[in-house]
Amino acid sequence: MKIAVSGFEAKAGDVTIETTGSVSLFGVDSVGVVNTISSQVSGIGSGGNITIRANSLSLQDGTQLNSNTQGQGNAGNVKLEISGAVSLAGVDEDGNAGGLVSSVESDATGLVGILTSTLTHSL
């Protein structure tokens, strides 16, 4: 599964997932791409924000919540509000770790977003 919003000459959209249950990402899709939830901009504009509100969150096998910029603009913020367990574990087939990412690509200009979490249970 890949949930992605992107922009070229404007702000990328926000991604908000809100559930009383669990949010789980793991593995790769049918063509071998690691499952992600992402918001990115590749031209002029800022990346969107990613917000997850859930009872629990599990990111396995190199999966990511990823907000980034590949052009001119700031990466978006990643915000977690999790009332139960959080698990970030494993790597993808190439050995790359997953997790929570806000980044500015090497040839881009801008600032990374802010990673915030409100957890009522331990990692």
Side-chain angles (χ1 to χ4, degrees):
M1 172 183 96
K2 183 170 188 171
I3 298 174
V5 293
S6 61
F8 183 71
E9 295 295 329
K11 180 183 186 289
D14 294 334
V15 176
T16 300
I17 297 174
E18 189 166 350
T19 179
T20 57
S22 300
V23 174
S24 298
L25 288 175
F26 55 90
V28 296
D29 65 14
S30 60
V31 294
V33 176
V34 174
N35 292 312
T36 62
I37 297 174
S38 67
S39 180
Q40 67 182 31
V41 66
S42 55
I44 300 171
S46 295
N49 299 313
I50 298 173
T51 303
I52 307 287
R53 293 182 187 97
N55 180 51
S56 64
L57 174 67
S58 177
L59 302 178
Q60 308 293 317
D61 307 326
T63 58
Q64 295 184 348
L65 302 179
N66 184 342
S67 180
N68 71 25
T69 181
Q70 299 172 346
Q72 293 178 313
N74 298 329
N77 301 317
V78 177
K79 180 178 182 180
L80 301 180
E81 296 177 11
I82 309 298
S83 61
V86 175
S87 173
L88 308 174
V91 296
D92 67 14
E93 294 174 353
D94 297 323
N96 299 312
L100 312 173
V101 179
S102 180
S103 63
V104 177
E105 299 296 324
S106 61
D107 56 346
T109 57
L111 301 172
V112 297
I114 298 169
L115 303 175
T116 59
S117 61
T118 302
L119 308 175
T120 56
H121 197 79
S122 62
L123 286 172

